[in-house]
Amino acid sequence: MTEMTAPKSPISSKDFADEVREQLKYTQGVTPEQATAADVYVAASTAVRRHLMDSWMKTQQDMVNGNTKAVGYLSAEFLMGRQLRNALLNAGLTEQFNEAVKELGFDPQDVVDAEYEPGLGNGGLGRLAACFIDSLASLGVPAFGYGIQYKYGIFRQEFDEEGRQVEHPDYWLANEDPWGHVDYGRDQKVSFGGKVVEEDGKRVWQPDWSVRAIPVDYMVPGYESGRVNTLRLWQARSYDEFDLLAFNKSEYMEAVEPQVKAENISKILYPEDSTQVGKELRLEQQYFFTCASIHDAIRVFYPGEDKPDLTTFPDKITFQLNDTHPVIGIPELMRVLIDEYGYDWDTAWTITNKTFNYTCHTLLPEALEVWPADLIGKLLPRHLEIIEKINDQFMAELKTLTKDEAKIERMRIVTGGDKPAVRMAYLATYAGSHVNGVAELHSQLLKDVTLRDFSDLYDSKFTNVTNGVTPRRFVKLANPGLSDLITEGLGTDKWLEDLDLLEGLVPLAQDDEFVKKFAEVKHQNKVSFSNFAKKEYGYDVDPNTMFNTMIKRLHEYKRQSLKILEVIAQYADIKSGKVKIEDVTPRTIIFGAKSAPGYYMAKLTIQLINNVARVINNDPDIKGKLNIIFPVNYNIRVAQNLIPATELDEQISQAGKEASGTSNMKFALNGALTVGTLDGANVEIRARVGADNFFLFGMTVDEVEAMYANGYNPAKYYESDPRLKAAIDMVAGGTFSNGDRNTYAPLVSDWLTKDWFMTLADFTAYHDIQSQIETLYADQLEWNRKALLNTANSGYFSSDRSIEDYLERVWMTGPLK
Ligand SMILES: *Cc1c(COP(=O)(O)O)cnc(C)c1O
């Protein structure tokens, strides 16, 4: 590898400064004196991109010349975060950049801060895709990330005066995007609608309308691998942009109608789908990017060939379906093979079957996508025929495997009845080679519950790949202090490529001097976060309090309610004198969360948290012992600032609901202790860091199931735990709504009568663990020893390890030679 790994770039900071000056002049058209930090950001990014160009081209060449199969990671989301620092790190240009920018008279941080974070994802699933393409490149595996370049990413969150979430469009492309290269020459045509006719005994799709898919390419540089992969995000454009005739008749709206219709496809992430048109738009998006990506892969791997031998396609690329969003790619590949290239059904089936694999990300049955057959028929009539034929073939196959008619009926891909629908997860499970869950517990539950019939009959398809996170972004970039200390402790920085090396820190946990250094790093990170919180949000945060964090999408199953109810109960204890203020461990409690715009209960929970913060933070009786902050617009940047400063992180979902979680991994790696349930990857984290170094509480999956089965009555818990009762009564009584009893009535009523995720049932256990937490926290040396053991034992949760598992268990491929 050595001659390939150019990263510790030989270029001097002087030369790099010259390159930035050149870009300022030739791309920005400004002198260094005229330049703003934003200009320098664009110029430096362009310069870095140029440095990556040779490796990018070579990686593509080597991939096409093919000594190994590539990975196509199909995902509706890629939550990349800012690019500049990551690209500098992976290109080995960090020092040069810092020096060069100073020489030009700028603060490197200001230049980095000029980058606007793209929000092309919602949460964990999108961040996972970003971590995976980083790891693929770092391991030298040729890969494409394929997705959509949404014009507006996830909404920008604001809070109004009442503490309610307000959504604003996030027009990230209003700023220059030096990382994305729009490649008009490599566009693809994506068609919709129309009908299927019979011609010479063949089924021929005559679509009604088409859009142009234009690729925008982002380089994905590997860390010290000399490899640069591609993230190819598609943008939708119209072929007939503009109706001049209509315009000249002053019909201005009509004139741009085709343009609007086409461009709507890549307008926003997850359009609201409670309406028929919203559903239609989502399916259009899914087909749009999978169709373009499949055609793109054929173009890339069979360049210039009119009659490629596509029986070799599965040897060229393997497609990973990140959840069900890209599953429409399965009938699309069948259609391409049969209708466009003339293969017979069985050959097409063999190719398709070998090409696709599916990752399931949920256990909630309502989260598995199901499309009404008539909607598919309207947008993609030929695909519906193919899906029906797959279903017929499947039903026939099942009859040879089992006599259990009820089971066969349950497994239908296309449901029966007069409103048939297509179950995308079933289609993916049957049509692909492998299905994986994303943590051991989750994969087991997939087999036992969600896809049980399938695992009975197709057990060998099922496997587990526990999620991971990239240590480059989430340790090295986010936490430079800890990174230096790890390197000092291990005597090498090789851990960034082989995170298992962190185990070498285990003996150092017995070295009090080292533990104190570790504690000092944490303290410095808390100071840094306090400064960040002041500058960005105006918060006053005391770095001498315990930093206790809960950041993740707002969802009832994740149980932000449990946390806020405990905070309220603690407040009530202080107010009533049950707990003396001097006995309270001072905490800064930090929330970060966006709620889906149409998710009423989640939005109400956000409002409650904001108002609990308002009341408690302003209550003189609390004497600053509890400080609750809720930095608005949680995103990767906030995560990178907050995670290294956190001492206690909350992973308190109802057992059996969180598929994996990845923030739990980021926290453990950065030396936070977790308070959590036995859910998702928490189980594996606890097993690795040690039960003594993890605050476990709450019901297990089996206990949850038993409680559902026996009938769950939340009011019983309200009656039997006076602290819980006091907290809920405070919410109901208007303490956090200026006396108004209606504001939170829907939440209160849900807690007392339904509480599907059993927040109340776990409340007492959650409270009981707090005293253990506080006792340990009082002994800072012991706390930090355990925190260090979290870091030392979390190397397994590198996304490099996840990718290695995929290579071995699912993709059957490896790095380029
Ligand atoms: C890691 C990450 C997530 C996933 O968090 P979970 O707590 O695992 O759901 C979501 N959003 C951002 C910005 C992240 O960095």
Side-chain angles (χ1 to χ4, degrees):
M1 290 288 274
T2 36
E3 75 275 32
M4 278 273 341
T5 39
K8 291 264 159 26
S9 185
I11 186 175
S12 70
S13 37
K14 278 256 170 306
D15 289 346
F16 192 70
D18 284 341
E19 292 183 11
V20 175
R21 278 194 200 91
E22 189 181 315
Q23 296 302 336
L24 280 173
K25 179 167 171 189
Y26 292 108
T27 61
Q28 299 305 96
V30 294
T31 65
E33 292 71 35
Q34 293 169 322
T36 62
D39 290 321
V40 178
Y41 154 69
V42 176
S45 302
T46 313
V48 178
R49 208 170 168 277
R50 278 179 54 163
H51 275 268
L52 295 170
M53 193 54 80
D54 286 335
S55 302
W56 188 50
M57 288 178 158
K58 176 127 177 48
T59 303
Q60 291 176 75
Q61 255 166 30
D62 290 353
M63 175 180 76
V64 174
N65 296 339
N67 54 32
T68 182
K69 157 167 83 172
V71 175
Y73 200 81
L74 294 169
S75 179
E77 304 182 27
F78 284 91
L79 195 53
M80 297 296 289
R82 287 174 169 179
Q83 294 302 292
L84 179 54
R85 277 269 177 230
N86 191 63
L88 287 167
L89 172 67
N90 288 3
L93 288 167
T94 302
E95 290 311 312
Q96 290 90 329
F97 166 82
N98 290 341
E99 291 306 312
V101 164
K102 279 184 219 151
E103 189 193 312
L104 290 163
F106 288 86
D107 178 345
Q109 190 58 44
D110 291 343
V111 174
V112 168
D113 281 340
E115 178 167 0
Y116 196 83
E117 178 176 323
L120 308 186
N122 201 7
L125 177 144
R127 183 54 232 177
L128 186 77
C131 283
F132 279 3
I133 60 174
D134 176 88
S135 284
L136 281 160
S138 296
L139 293 169
V141 180
F144 285 98
Y146 279 121
I148 298 177
Q149 197 212 39
Y150 303 99
K151 184 166 183 178
Y152 304 96
I154 178 117
F155 64 86
R156 185 169 52 76
Q157 180 188 52
E158 284 185 17
F159 297 138
D160 70 8
E161 269 134 57
E162 313 287 320
R164 288 178 297 221
Q165 169 177 296
V166 185
E167 301 95 26
H168 295 275
D170 178 39
Y171 188 24
W172 67 288
L173 287 171
N175 309 281
E176 251 169 296
D177 175 27
W179 303 105
H181 174 246
V182 188
D183 196 342
Y184 291 94
R186 294 183 174 73
D187 59 341
Q188 297 289 350
K189 183 174 184 170
V190 181
S191 302
F192 296 94
K195 56 183 193 286
V196 182
V197 297
E198 188 92 11
E199 264 175 30
D200 307 331
K202 284 192 185 146
R203 306 294 293 165
V204 177
W205 181 22
Q206 297 177 337
D208 205 33
W209 55 287
S210 303
V211 297
R212 189 175 167 205
I214 297 169
V216 189
D217 284 349
Y218 293 82
M219 287 183 182
V220 184
Y223 176 75
E224 306 240 316
S225 70
R227 293 298 184 185
V228 180
N229 282 331
T230 307
L231 170 61
R232 186 157 286 163
L233 301 180
W234 301 95
Q235 216 179 57
R237 299 277 188 95
S238 164
Y239 280 103
D240 20 40
E241 284 275 315
F242 185 62
D243 185 343
L244 186 61
L245 238 55
F247 198 84
N248 278 334
K249 284 192 272 171
S250 305
E251 292 162 357
Y252 302 132
M253 287 314 200
E254 289 81 352
V256 295
E257 212 177 273
Q259 185 185 341
V260 171
K261 182 173 178 182
E263 290 183 4
N264 273 351
I265 292 180
S266 56
K267 196 80 83 191
I268 68 165
L269 173 71
Y270 301 142
E272 176 55 43
D273 66 348
S274 51
T275 63
Q276 180 70 12
V277 271
K279 279 201 184 63
E280 215 167 300
L281 182 56
R282 279 210 196 186
L283 185 59
E284 285 171 15
Q285 290 187 327
Q286 299 184 352
Y287 180 62
F288 167 75
F289 89 91
T290 47
C291 167
S293 304
I294 287 169
H295 284 89
D296 185 67
I298 296 173
R299 179 187 63 76
V300 167
F301 288 102
Y302 304 90
E305 292 182 43
D306 274 352
K307 288 213 164 303
D309 174 11
L310 292 175
T311 57
T312 62
F313 193 61
D315 309 323
K316 307 281 187 189
I317 191 164
T318 175
F319 282 125
Q320 190 65 33
L321 302 165
N322 194 28
D323 222 14
T324 48
H325 314 122
V327 171
I328 195 72
I330 289 170
E332 170 63 2
L333 182 58
M334 289 295 288
R335 184 193 70 82
V336 169
L337 292 167
I338 296 168
D339 295 4
E340 295 184 7
Y341 290 94
Y343 289 94
D344 60 62
W345 176 275
D346 290 342
T347 308
W349 178 254
T350 306
I351 297 170
T352 300
N353 182 251
K354 282 201 237 167
T355 303
F356 286 100
N357 298 290
Y358 162 54
T359 304
C360 181
H361 281 273
T362 187
L363 287 166
L364 307 175
E366 67 270 23
L368 295 171
E369 281 185 303
V370 175
W371 292 110
D374 57 2
L375 175 60
I376 299 184
K378 178 182 168 197
L379 276 181
L380 303 166
R382 177 67 179 130
H383 297 76
L384 183 59
E385 286 186 358
I386 292 170
I387 293 169
E388 283 167 344
K389 191 159 171 191
I390 293 175
N391 185 60
D392 292 345
Q393 171 184 304
F394 182 43
M395 291 294 113
E397 186 175 310
L398 287 178
K399 291 200 175 98
T400 68
L401 296 175
T402 175
K403 298 257 165 305
D404 184 343
E405 289 292 331
K407 185 193 213 96
I408 294 177
E409 199 51 32
R410 284 199 302 272
M411 293 176 76
R412 297 183 69 95
I413 294 168
V414 185
T415 60
D418 51 351
K419 285 224 175 304
V422 180
R423 295 163 164 154
M424 302 310 268
Y426 289 10
L427 176 58
T429 305
Y430 173 56
S433 290
H434 298 88
V435 185
N436 75 284
V438 290
E440 276 170 22
L441 174 68
H442 173 239
S443 295
Q444 194 57 48
L445 291 170
L446 269 186
K447 289 176 55 164
D448 292 350
V449 185
T450 317
L451 296 172
R452 167 142 195 192
D453 293 329
F454 285 83
S455 96
D456 282 352
L457 300 177
Y458 297 92
D459 184 60
S460 63
K461 282 195 184 200
F462 285 79
T463 186
N464 169 247
V465 179
T466 298
N467 283 169
V469 301
T470 170
R472 272 75 63 181
R473 180 176 292 271
F474 287 107
V475 185
K476 175 74 182 174
L477 294 182
N479 200 342
L482 180 61
S483 299
D484 289 348
L485 184 66
I486 293 172
T487 300
E488 182 193 316
L490 297 176
T492 170
D493 66 0
K494 282 286 170 211
W495 57 274
L496 278 165
E497 295 157 69
D498 179 3
L499 207 59
D500 285 335
L501 292 179
L502 291 183
E503 273 175 35
L505 298 172
V506 170
L508 291 170
Q510 301 316 316
D511 173 349
D512 288 357
E513 289 316 303
F514 193 81
V515 175
K516 282 178 191 157
K517 284 188 192 171
F518 180 86
E520 181 50 29
V521 168
K522 182 64 77 178
H523 184 73
Q524 284 310 320
N525 291 339
K526 291 168 71 182
V527 171
S528 302
F529 180 76
S530 302
N531 295 335
F532 173 82
K534 180 74 187 173
K535 184 162 160 242
E536 295 284 320
Y537 312 98
Y539 289 130
D540 287 309
V541 173
D542 178 358
N544 296 310
T545 56
M546 179 205 287
F547 279 23
N548 177 191
T549 304
M550 183 163 191
I551 42 174
K552 45 187 76 255
R553 281 180 302 120
L554 211 132
H555 199 290
E556 287 162 286
Y557 85 76
K558 292 179 182 271
R559 302 201 298 191
Q560 279 91 355
S561 284
L562 179 56
K563 179 71 190 159
I564 201 66
L565 279 172
E566 168 57 24
V567 171
I568 296 167
Q570 194 181 9
Y571 178 56
D573 280 346
I574 299 169
K575 292 300 274 184
S576 69
K578 247 191 246 133
V579 168
K580 289 211 249 356
I581 188 78
E582 53 274 21
D583 294 337
V584 174
T585 302
R587 287 197 207 204
T588 299
I589 296 156
I590 307 151
F591 288 92
K594 289 181 181 178
S595 156
Y599 189 172
Y600 181 71
M601 284 303 198
K603 290 180 104 168
L604 203 52
T605 308
I606 287 181
Q607 186 180 355
L608 175 62
I609 295 170
N610 274 321
N611 283 283
V612 171
R614 174 179 59 77
V615 169
I616 296 184
N617 295 351
N618 290 308
D619 188 332
D621 292 349
I622 299 304
K623 300 194 169 63
K625 290 258 188 172
L626 294 179
N627 184 20
I628 300 145
I629 67 172
F630 194 160
V632 73
N633 203 42
Y634 172 54
N635 62 10
I636 303 277
R637 175 163 174 254
V638 175
Q640 285 184 216
N641 278 282
L642 181 50
I643 291 169
T646 294
E647 293 167 293
L648 177 68
D649 77 295
E650 306 274 337
Q651 307 294 343
I652 58 178
S653 51
Q654 184 196 32
K657 293 300 184 295
E658 187 70 89
S660 163
T662 48
S663 76
N664 45 6
M665 302 170 182
K666 299 168 195 165
F667 281 114
L669 279 167
N670 283 282
L673 295 186
T674 300
V675 54
T677 49
L678 274 183
D679 200 16
N682 292 355
V683 178
E684 288 157 81
I685 292 175
R686 178 169 173 267
R688 281 169 199 277
V689 306
D692 289 346
N693 305 312
F694 187 107
F695 297 108
L696 179 72
F697 78 98
M699 286 188 285
T700 62
V701 171
D702 290 345
E703 288 163 350
V704 165
E705 286 312 316
M707 194 164 280
Y708 280 132
N710 296 333
Y712 172 55
N713 174 17
K716 195 180 94 191
Y717 298 91
Y718 167 82
E719 295 300 343
S720 65
D721 184 337
R723 292 181 75 257
L724 176 60
K725 183 168 190 306
I728 292 180
D729 288 349
M730 258 190 173
V731 177
T735 307
F736 309 108
S737 42
N738 300 310
D740 180 63
R741 302 177 63 95
N742 292 324
T743 309
Y744 303 113
L747 262 185
V748 171
S749 147
D750 185 87
W751 286 333
L752 295 181
T753 60
K754 187 165 157 242
D755 189 27
W756 182 250
F757 299 103
M758 302 181 180
T759 299
L760 272 57
D762 268 343
F763 181 86
T764 309
Y766 181 57
H767 172 66
D768 289 345
I769 195 104
Q770 303 302 322
S771 54
Q772 269 183 52
I773 291 170
E774 303 201 341
T775 307
L776 182 65
Y777 194 74
D779 185 345
Q780 278 291 297
L781 189 64
E782 283 315 304
W783 179 282
N784 280 293
R785 205 188 305 286
K786 288 173 185 284
L788 172 57
L789 284 169
N790 268 261
T791 301
N793 288 309
S794 296
Y796 179 79
F797 301 103
S798 167
S799 46
D800 297 349
R801 190 270 316 146
S802 307
I803 292 301
E804 277 162 356
D805 287 351
Y806 273 107
L807 293 173
E808 211 179 280
R809 298 174 196 168
V810 180
W811 299 331
M812 320 302 172
T813 183
L816 286 167
K817 307 279 167 344

